[in-house]
């Protein structure tokens, strides 16, 4: 492997940060790297809201489910799918199609992953914050987001004050299919992976939960997952057709 691949494989989510700020030069480099990501049809259908207002940051802590690192990280960004910019350029643009929601979500995720990888290459760390979707209407109001701008997730960035162990990923045999989808799940491979995940949780600092991956996804998928999202997405002008 080379240094780039090694960096990618060392990724962990950082939720504890020092109080050291990110240098302006570093921040600019991270954002340049973000904008260098692939973009569908060169639409560049994303915007980033950098939160520097302490009151707004404190409110976003609450709206994200009281995640303290949202307020403690040196930087916090809200990543948005954005076709409002396009609408201003082309007032007669045909918007609202579900395909545009997918384009905006994919473009934005690619940008954000580029940003996090760039940050990690500089010795920084971060974590994605999907909890913003707990209160999406309140996020829209707080950040004054117009129609055709959809807040997808947040991101904390800063200097790490912890070194979490790397969570084991699924074996490639359960993820990579060749030529067609293999519908039958390999039970032996899954059992081995479940044992590995259980062992990881058992020995992880804090050990706040001990379960297999199958246990975890069963618990998560047994409950509703933000059932209001469809109406919210449509209220912002996305996926109306």
């Amino acid at each position: 492997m080379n240094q780039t691949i090694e960096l990618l494989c060392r990724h962990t989510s950082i939720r504890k940060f020092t109080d050291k700020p990110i240098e302006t030069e570093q921040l600019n480099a991270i954002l340049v790297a973000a904008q260098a990501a692939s973009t569908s049809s060169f639409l560049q259908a994303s915007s980033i809201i950098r939160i520097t207002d302490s009151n707004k940051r404190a409110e976003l802590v609450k709206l994200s489910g009281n995640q303290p690192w949202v307020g403690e990280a040196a930087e916090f960004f809200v990543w948005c799918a954005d076709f409002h910019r396009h609408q201003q350029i082309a007032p007669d643009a045909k918007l609202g199609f579900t395909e545009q929601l997918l384009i905006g979500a994919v473009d934005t995720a690619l940008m954000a992953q580029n940003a996090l990888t760039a940050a990690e290459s500089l010795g920084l760390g971060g974590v994605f914050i999907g909890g913003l979707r707990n209160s999406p209407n309140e996020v829209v109001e707080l950040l004054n987001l117009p129609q055709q701008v959809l807040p997808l997730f947040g991101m904390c960035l800063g200097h790490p004050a912890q070194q979490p162990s790397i969570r084991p990923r699924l074996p490639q045999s359960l993820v990579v299919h060749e030529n067609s989808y293999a519908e039958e799940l390999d039970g032996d491979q899954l059992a081995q992976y479940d044992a590995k995940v259980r062992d990881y949780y058992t020995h992880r600092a804090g050990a706040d939960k001990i379960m297999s991956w199958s246990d975890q996804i069963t618990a998560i998928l047994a409950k509703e997952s933000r059932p209001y999202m469809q109406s919210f997405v449509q209220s912002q002008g996305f996926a109306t057709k």
Side-chain angles (χ1 to χ4, degrees), residues 42-220:
F42 201 41
L43 285 170
Q44 302 182 82
S46 307
S47 282
I48 308 165
I49 314 294
R50 181 189 179 201
I51 309 299
T52 57
D53 183 300
S54 58
N55 292 326
K56 289 190 176 184
R57 185 84 81 93
E59 188 62 25
L60 287 168
V61 170
K62 299 175 186 176
L63 296 178
S64 66
N66 294 310
Q67 299 185 54
W69 37 88
V70 170
E72 296 164 355
E75 296 284 343
F76 186 72
F77 301 102
V78 178
W79 297 79
C80 305
D82 182 4
F83 279 89
H84 181 72
R85 180 167 52 239
H86 304 75
Q87 192 171 46
Q88 294 178 78
I89 296 167
D92 296 328
K94 292 179 171 58
L95 300 179
F97 289 96
T98 301
E99 171 66 6
Q100 290 158 352
L101 170 62
L102 296 176
I103 287 171
V106 170
D107 269 22
T108 305
L110 292 174
M111 280 184 66
Q113 186 63 52
N114 260 28
L116 185 55
T117 300
E120 290 175 341
S121 77
L122 297 171
L124 304 169
V127 62
F128 287 96
I129 305 296
L132 287 187
R133 298 192 300 278
N134 291 346
S135 307
N137 289 298
E138 291 82 353
V139 172
V140 164
E141 183 177 356
L142 180 69
L143 304 183
N144 194 32
L145 302 181
Q147 286 279 291
Q148 297 297 334
V149 178
L150 191 69
L152 297 172
F153 50 84
M155 179 192 288
C156 299
L157 286 180
H159 293 268
Q162 62 176 169
Q163 291 183 314
S165 53
I166 298 172
R167 277 195 278 194
R169 286 340 196 225
L170 281 164
Q172 285 187 16
S173 60
L174 296 182
V175 176
V176 181
H177 305 257
E178 188 167 342
N179 296 320
S180 62
Y181 190 91
E183 292 190 43
E184 190 68 30
L185 191 64
D186 188 322
D188 291 338
Q189 287 286 315
L190 179 60
Q192 292 175 36
Y193 178 64
D194 276 339
K196 185 180 293 187
V197 171
R198 184 181 293 276
D199 183 68
Y200 162 80
Y201 281 132
T202 300
H203 295 95
R204 185 177 69 168
D208 54 338
K209 60 182 176 183
I210 300 176
M211 60 176 61
S212 70
W213 187 70
S214 293
D215 292 336
Q216 188 168 348
I217 65 166
T218 298
I220 291 171

Side-chain angles (χ1 to χ4, degrees), residues 23-37:
E23 296 176 4
T24 301
E25 184 179 354
Q26 290 180 318
L27 183 58
N28 287 338
I30 290 166
L31 294 175
V32 167
Q35 287 192 268

